[in-house]
Amino acid sequence: MPRFAPLVLILALAGCRVDTPGADSAVVEPGDTLVASASEPIPDAAPAPDAAGCTLVAQDSVVLYTRPSVAAPRFGTLAPGDSVRASGRAAGFVGIDPGTAQAANVGALRLRYAASDGPFSLRGDCAALPAQPRLDPVACYQMAQAETRLHARPDTAAAVVATMPAQSLAEVTSRTPTGWLRVRLGASGPPGWVAPADVNVSGAMCDAL
């Protein structure tokens, strides 16, 4: 019998754990916030639900859309068991922040959306999720990264008819050959023109303008 056997026996009887000589130990760090990709499922590792916020937990595969509509382009898929922080609600959809770097996207266009009737549950404080605007699934939107002036005509000398607040959106209705955008602020807001230097757009229809 090896000379160290009595010591092992004594420690075992005392209720202490004895590691096998030479065994490796590992520290497991919690996973980062899940990031959806355009063509692959989100990785399996998932953070534990946060009771201080609202967490979406997938029971089965959950499709994510770029906008709150099943007619919008697909962004990716949550795998069964994945959990992600929910960041907002839109009509019939729950929005999550995908955690990817988005230098240009602002406001509701930063989120990715799961249909509310999808195979997932919501855990935590979900009643306070902020409402997101209704977005056309393919329309072109001007995204204001800073306060953006809307002019009465496509001319910087023209009167300013409105100002888009930072992080706000406006639907684009046309574009001039010189790059000015005609936008409208909601159903009843005034139309105006965005100077080429302030253009920051998103949407399947932008190229067709």
Side-chain angles (χ1 to χ4, degrees):
M1 177 180 294
R3 296 178 60 185
F4 58 79
L7 176 60
V8 172
L9 179 60
I10 292 171
L11 291 175
L13 292 174
C16 298
R17 189 183 74 178
V18 180
D19 292 330
T20 303
D24 293 331
S25 60
V27 177
V28 179
E29 299 291 346
D32 294 330
T33 300
L34 297 175
V35 177
S37 69
S39 59
E40 299 178 355
I42 288 180
D44 292 335
D50 184 351
C54 179
T55 302
L56 183 154
V57 182
Q59 272 99 44
D60 204 339
S61 297
V62 177
V63 175
L64 298 177
Y65 298 90
T66 56
R67 295 183 183 181
S69 171
V70 295
R74 292 190 177 194
F75 174 74
T77 305
L78 292 172
D82 285 344
S83 64
V84 291
R85 175 67 67 89
S87 300
R89 285 187 185 272
F93 286 81
V94 176
I96 68 164
D97 190 326
T100 55
Q102 300 185 63
N105 287 343
V106 304
L109 291 177
R110 289 187 62 85
L111 303 184
R112 301 296 178 258
Y113 296 90
S116 296
D117 60 356
F120 62 83
S121 61
L122 294 176
R123 301 178 185 176
D125 182 13
C126 300
L129 285 176
Q132 303 299 310
R134 185 182 298 273
L135 298 173
D136 184 281
V138 295
C140 183
Y141 286 94
Q142 162 68 14
M143 305 178 293
Q145 293 178 296
E147 285 193 355
T148 302
R149 294 179 176 182
L150 302 184
H151 297 270
R153 302 187 313 278
D155 185 339
T156 54
V160 175
V161 297
T163 300
M164 291 181 62
Q167 306 297 302
S168 66
L169 309 173
E171 186 173 352
V172 180
T173 58
S174 63
R175 187 199 306 257
T176 70
T178 56
W180 282 80
L181 299 182
R182 189 177 189 272
V183 303
R184 61 185 178 199
L185 296 177
S188 59
W193 292 89
V194 176
D198 297 321
V199 167
N200 178 37
V201 295
S202 173
M205 295 298 295
C206 293
D207 292 339
L209 294 172

